[in-house]
Amino acid sequence: MEKMIKTDSGIAIQPLYTTPVPMEEMPGSFPFTRGVHASMYRDKLWTMRQYAGFSTAEESNRRYHYLLSQGVMGLSVAFDLPTQIGYDSDHAMAEGEVGKVGVAIDSLEDMEILFQGISLENISTSMTINATGFILLALYIALAKRQGADIKKISGTIQNDILKEYAARGTFIYPPKPSMRLITDIFDFCSREVPKWNTISISGYHIREAGANAVQELAFTLANGKAYLKAAQEKGLDINVFAKRLSFFFNAHNHLFEEVAKFRAARRMWAHITKELGATDPKAQMLRFHTQTGGSTLTAQQPHNNIVRVAIQTMAATLGGTQSLHTNGYDEALSLPTEAAARIALRTQQIVGFESGVADTVDPLAGSFYVEALTNEVEQKAQQLIDKIDAMGGAVSAIEQGFIQDEIARSAYTYQKQIENGEKVIVGVNKFTVQQEEAPEVFRVDDSIRRIQSEKLASLRQRRDNDKAQQLLARIEATAKTTENLMPLVIEAVEHYCTLGEISDTLRKVWGEYR
């Protein structure tokens, strides 16, 4: 028997309000405007994640154990810039960046330390990694095998969305075509060997952080999604199989109602996109998404105001039906979050989940004249942009022509002008300012990290079977010149302690770097 949920006044809350929404718009059914599950959060809350990673694997491991002890349901790993762009910590290009914006991972030894004491079969892990996503996934699979886990049971997500790197963020290595080949290799391998793994998290988050508005974030993200679907189909993959393992990653900003409308419109639009491309399985038509609160909305001035911003953004994500959520620390405009800020960020999700009533009914804002009209309008404007991109030959072509980058830059410029002329109010920045602020405690990463990582690498290269490592790197180089799937070979290479930088450099020799 289903439990009775009531308001504070004792009013019974129905599982679902249908009037005046048409019957065909039911949650859990095509086109999923109202949610991908019929009961949504009444049965299970969204997965509460905290994005964390800094310094060495040892330091990050301590933070993960702390977060798990505080009620986090899934881990979300941040990697440093050298790891993201395929350089080992001892490479000249890594100087000054090792361990700064995420954890430094050079080899399987680092991965073993990062997840020490954490069973990969019992935790869902999201890894924000793109150009080197295939290597980090290989490392994760290798570690799961070391732990004795059944890799068919491990679950999580790699971001693996290289198109948005070309359009908005810049941590790419190889040209678009070989990068797309790596992504479809992952689709193919995981559909057979790691079926519970989400092989791509098509990311609007960084598009929004670069200055896009909500409509642009939606349009460019779904256009990229279409490009991945078509690339996989061209490789001969079945859309009803691989599309089930695609997920999305959206931003949540401060305009509560527009953000909710964006999330609702996203599900409806993706359902129609997948159907048009041949998906018949409802699970292949569903848009499932992770949300992170808006980093670019956080202010260095009066940083405690950011707690309120993050709470509003949490409400937007949950009212919009997110499947998982990361909430930012209030101090992230100044530094990596302190432990105290990370705890408040997690408590924000827990208070919304357990105290606000957001989770008591499915799609609480459905039927609102405003929200329904806004959902339709966001969809219409996003579709107009997608139609333009389609006319250019799709997302890859639109990126190569600079269309998406120009649109984002124009939006960012307009928004900044509105702040500077006072048209857009940012509390504590251009209105309600204070003369003098107390400096908050900030998190610092020790500059000795590069030396520590370099010493680890030197030791590893002395201890491993270097002949075997070189043989495997040579096989990767040869295989990259064919159409054979690279994933099994990369997994074997990391199991024999080939490093991330060595594998990346091997492929640089074959494919070159994108400029």
Side-chain angles (χ1 to χ4, degrees):
M1 184 175 172
E2 190 181 27
K3 65 180 178 181
M4 177 65 73
I5 297 175
K6 298 180 179 181
T7 68
D8 290 346
S9 306
I11 300 166
I13 298 173
Q14 301 305 313
L16 177 67
Y17 294 87
T18 55
T19 307
V21 180
M23 285 301 290
E24 65 266 19
E25 288 283 315
M26 294 292 281
S29 301
F30 187 91
F32 311 105
T33 312
R34 304 193 62 191
V36 292
H37 303 299
S39 56
M40 287 303 288
Y41 306 138
R42 282 177 73 97
D43 286 342
K44 183 185 175 188
L45 289 179
W46 61 92
T47 300
M48 297 181 188
R49 297 188 185 277
Q50 283 307 108
Y51 187 46
F54 56 90
S55 184
T56 60
E58 290 89 345
E59 286 294 320
S60 291
N61 177 261
R62 279 193 278 276
R63 177 66 68 91
Y64 294 158
H65 279 284
Y66 171 75
L67 290 170
L68 289 167
S69 75
Q70 295 298 306
V72 157
M73 302 170 185
L75 296 175
S76 189
V77 185
F79 298 97
D80 71 359
L81 279 174
T83 303
Q84 291 179 47
I85 54 177
Y87 293 116
D88 286 334
S89 297
D90 59 358
H91 194 286
M93 291 291 286
E95 190 166 357
E97 291 294 345
V98 177
K100 289 295 175 68
V101 299
V103 62
I105 298 293
D106 295 317
S107 72
L108 183 56
E109 282 193 349
D110 287 329
M111 207 69 163
E112 288 168 333
I113 296 165
L114 185 67
F115 289 101
Q116 193 166 15
I118 298 168
S119 169
L120 300 193
E121 203 172 294
N122 298 317
I123 194 82
S124 167
T125 303
S126 172
M127 296 190 283
T128 304
I129 196 74
N130 297 285
T132 55
F134 69 107
I135 304 174
L136 270 300
L137 177 58
L139 287 163
Y140 195 87
I141 291 168
L143 177 59
K145 288 163 72 177
R146 287 275 166 97
Q147 288 188 354
D150 179 352
I151 66 166
K152 292 195 184 298
K153 292 182 180 177
I154 62 171
S155 65
T157 306
I158 44 170
Q159 193 164 99
N160 199 28
D161 176 6
I162 203 65
L163 291 180
K164 71 99 170 62
E165 296 297 329
Y166 299 117
R169 190 163 171 268
T171 62
F172 47 76
I173 304 173
Y174 314 112
K177 283 183 181 172
S179 293
M180 292 294 278
R181 177 255 179 95
L182 287 171
I183 288 168
T184 54
D185 277 1
I186 292 168
F187 288 174
D188 179 38
F189 176 82
C190 288
S191 67
R192 290 180 283 106
E193 304 296 336
V194 199
K196 289 191 172 182
W197 195 267
N198 295 318
T199 50
I200 192 168
S201 178
I202 304 160
S203 176
Y205 185 85
H206 299 101
I207 290 170
R208 190 70 175 276
E209 290 293 285
N213 59 38
V215 167
Q216 290 171 328
E217 178 193 358
L218 177 56
F220 299 154
T221 306
L222 296 190
N224 287 349
K226 281 180 77 171
Y228 293 126
L229 289 177
K230 289 179 177 179
Q233 286 181 311
E234 285 166 11
K235 200 178 176 82
L237 302 181
D238 182 354
I239 192 170
N240 282 314
V241 176
F242 75 81
K244 293 177 187 176
R245 302 316 323 163
L246 271 58
S247 66
F248 286 78
F249 174 26
F250 287 116
N251 210 315
H253 273 222
N254 292 329
H255 196 295
L256 178 73
F257 298 105
E258 183 177 49
E259 295 301 297
V260 172
K262 177 187 76 182
F263 298 134
R264 298 175 88 246
R267 281 191 292 270
R268 187 157 71 203
M269 294 175 77
W270 187 247
H272 287 293
I273 286 168
T274 51
K275 188 176 182 180
E276 285 163 13
L277 289 173
T280 53
D281 187 326
K283 288 188 176 177
Q285 299 167 338
M286 289 179 182
L287 182 145
R288 295 164 299 114
F289 68 99
H290 170 72
T291 310
Q292 182 173 338
T293 56
S296 62
T297 69
L298 304 181
T299 63
Q301 301 92 328
Q302 300 179 33
H304 287 101
N305 294 347
N306 295 328
I307 296 172
V308 182
R309 293 184 177 103
V310 169
I312 292 167
Q313 294 161 11
T314 300
M315 292 291 288
T318 52
L319 287 166
T322 193
Q323 276 59 70
S324 68
L325 177 62
H326 161 73
T327 34
N328 288 335
Y330 68 82
D331 53 0
E332 287 188 49
L334 299 164
S335 69
L336 290 170
T338 58
E339 209 164 84
R343 184 172 61 248
I344 290 171
L346 176 60
R347 294 289 182 260
T348 302
Q349 292 201 55
Q350 291 165 335
I351 290 166
V352 169
F354 294 102
E355 296 185 26
S356 74
V358 157
D360 293 347
T361 191
V362 180
D363 196 15
L365 294 183
S368 155
F369 294 153
Y370 177 39
V371 170
E372 295 294 348
L374 202 53
T375 301
N376 293 340
E377 194 163 351
V378 167
E379 179 183 12
Q380 181 185 6
K381 289 183 181 300
Q383 188 59 53
Q384 287 169 357
L385 273 174
I386 290 174
D387 290 343
K388 278 188 183 179
I389 292 166
D390 286 344
M392 292 177 189
V396 175
S397 181
I399 288 165
E400 287 173 343
Q401 293 176 49
F403 171 74
I404 291 175
Q405 298 93 311
D406 289 347
E407 287 289 305
I408 294 169
R410 192 162 23 250
S411 175
Y413 176 72
T414 301
Y415 185 76
Q416 187 59 36
K417 276 189 73 174
Q418 289 172 337
I419 292 172
E420 289 174 8
N421 65 26
E423 186 182 340
K424 177 76 179 172
V425 172
I426 307 295
V427 173
V429 175
N430 62 1
K431 199 164 187 178
F432 313 114
T433 57
V434 293
Q435 290 296 99
Q436 195 167 0
E437 293 186 48
E438 185 181 335
E441 178 192 353
V442 294
F443 187 89
R444 301 285 183 206
V445 174
D446 195 319
D447 282 327
S448 66
I449 303 306
R450 184 166 185 256
R451 177 182 53 77
I452 294 166
Q453 285 297 114
S454 298
E455 288 170 358
K456 279 189 196 174
L457 279 165
S459 172
L460 173 69
R461 291 187 181 118
Q462 282 184 336
R463 289 180 284 109
R464 72 181 181 184
D465 182 341
N466 280 302
D467 288 340
K468 182 66 175 177
Q470 292 309 314
Q471 287 170 20
L472 287 164
L473 291 170
R475 284 175 60 197
I476 288 172
E477 183 177 350
T479 304
K481 297 170 185 174
T482 72
T483 57
E484 188 182 332
N485 195 311
L486 279 162
M487 280 304 296
L489 199 48
V490 174
I491 292 168
E492 188 180 355
V494 300
E495 285 176 327
H496 285 85
Y497 296 101
C498 291
T499 69
L500 174 133
E502 289 167 344
I503 295 168
S504 300
D505 284 346
T506 298
L507 294 175
R508 280 184 177 97
K509 285 196 284 185
V510 182
W511 296 331
E513 288 188 301
Y514 185 68
R515 301 293 183 192

